[in-house]
Amino acid sequence: MEKYVPDGFGNAPVKCIAVSAHKDDTEMFALKGIADCYGKGGFVAVVLTDGGGCPRAPQYAGVSDEDMAELRTAEQKRVAAKGGYTALWLLEKSSAEVKECSDSLVGELAEILRQYPSVETLYLHNPFDAHPTHVAACVAAIKAVNLLNEDEKPRKIYGCEVWRGLDWLADRDKVALDVSGYDALAAALMDEFETQNAAKRYDIAAQARRNANATFGHSHENDVSESVIYAVDMTSLAHGETLDDFAERMVADFVSSLCRDIWHK
């Protein structure tokens, strides 16, 4: 585990924390927190995997997993500095280790979170994500939160979209994180992930999704936002609700939101 503190905002009070599976996930799903803290400090990123087993563009085909992990760590540190993060924690686990959701991993996360008690917002992957490592990162973080005392827990916990959109959620469960006006910041951060952009254009796709969310969010109203990330409020998972019950509630709300009265006309 490594704690990296960029120059500038190392002593800023922490308002937002993101726990992500991979180097570059944070910048896609927790842009709202990054933007809210930009220029003032107060944002902390925790990245679980080393990223060495990522897809390779041809120019990186001969790079070992170990060397790729080092390249991606350097990229993430540059992003933390450019984004004005207060701190960046790098756990450097393998994806297999994260997917085990071991007591050791959960304990490490809990120790990090204890250093920032009662933060305003904790941004996580959501449990409906299609990427198993993302789901595991979410589960490990929720377990870590539940090791904290009540007065240490984040005030809000949002599960955000990456490897599956959350536009399917019922409107009452969907949280629209408006990041309009931060396209340039998002692009500047994502540009640093050269090893990933060379193989997968996450930078373009993430921006396109944000733009699409803003337009398709309301069918009978003019656009009021230009860029939106969808999230689901998962705060209840820190106060007794189980993931199974939470998922069943979200799916039931989705089913009840369907226009089934029209199907049978």
Side-chain angles (χ1 to χ4, degrees):
M1 181 194 300
E2 177 185 2
K3 180 183 181 182
Y4 171 67
V5 180
D7 294 336
F9 299 104
N11 296 317
V14 175
K15 296 173 55 179
C16 304
I17 300 176
V19 177
S20 66
H22 305 105
K23 296 155 183 172
D24 76 2
D25 286 341
T26 296
E27 291 67 31
M28 285 188 271
F29 75 70
L31 180 60
K32 175 64 173 171
I34 296 170
D36 286 348
C37 297
Y38 187 65
K40 305 182 292 289
F43 182 83
V44 169
V46 182
V47 183
L48 302 189
T49 67
D50 61 16
C54 64
R56 304 283 207 278
Q59 60 267 45
Y60 296 103
V63 178
S64 68
D65 285 359
E66 292 77 13
D67 288 343
M68 181 61 79
E70 290 187 12
L71 288 172
R72 296 195 67 186
T73 293
E75 290 172 343
Q76 186 67 74
K77 287 181 176 179
R78 290 197 297 271
V79 169
K82 184 176 283 189
Y85 297 4
T86 291
L88 166 66
W89 293 83
L90 297 159
L91 273 65
E92 303 290 8
K93 308 289 186 184
S94 67
S95 290
E97 289 175 308
V98 172
K99 284 185 280 191
E100 289 177 359
C101 291
S102 67
D103 290 345
S104 174
L105 172 61
V106 171
E108 286 182 70
L109 283 174
E111 285 306 307
I112 293 171
L113 294 175
R114 284 194 183 99
Q115 298 185 38
Y116 311 105
S118 300
V119 295
E120 291 181 12
T121 312
L122 174 62
Y123 295 94
L124 303 177
H125 293 284
N126 76 83
F128 310 114
D129 199 284
H131 196 307
T133 313
H134 291 186
V135 176
C138 170
V139 171
I142 291 296
K143 286 184 175 182
V145 168
N146 279 293
L147 292 179
L148 306 179
N149 297 323
E150 284 297 317
D151 61 352
E152 296 175 319
K153 294 179 179 181
R155 296 172 202 169
K156 276 290 181 185
I157 303 175
Y158 289 134
C160 307
E161 57 190 359
V162 178
W163 208 266
R164 176 178 281 146
L166 287 174
D167 58 322
W168 62 271
L169 288 169
D171 285 346
R172 64 180 172 181
D173 296 322
K174 194 160 41 186
V175 178
L177 303 175
D178 192 339
V179 288
S180 302
Y182 290 100
D183 289 359
L185 173 62
L189 299 180
M190 292 300 291
D191 280 351
E192 293 292 342
F193 294 108
E194 297 174 4
T195 59
Q196 296 309 286
N197 294 336
K200 301 277 289 181
R201 294 311 304 261
Y202 293 121
D203 54 336
I204 295 174
Q207 182 62 63
R209 173 184 278 160
R210 293 192 291 268
N211 295 153
N213 287 344
T215 292
F216 288 107
H218 305 281
S219 60
H220 293 81
E221 300 174 17
N222 292 345
D223 288 356
V224 295
S225 303
E226 297 177 352
S227 186
V228 168
I229 296 168
Y230 283 140
V232 60
D233 190 335
M234 303 195 304
T235 311
S236 61
L237 296 175
H239 303 284
E241 187 171 31
T242 67
L243 268 168
D244 284 323
D245 288 344
F246 174 80
E248 288 177 11
R249 179 163 59 88
M250 293 299 109
V251 172
D253 286 351
F254 167 72
V255 171
S256 69
S257 74
L258 297 174
C259 301
R260 287 186 290 176
D261 57 325
I262 298 177
W263 296 359
H264 306 292
K265 287 187 175 181

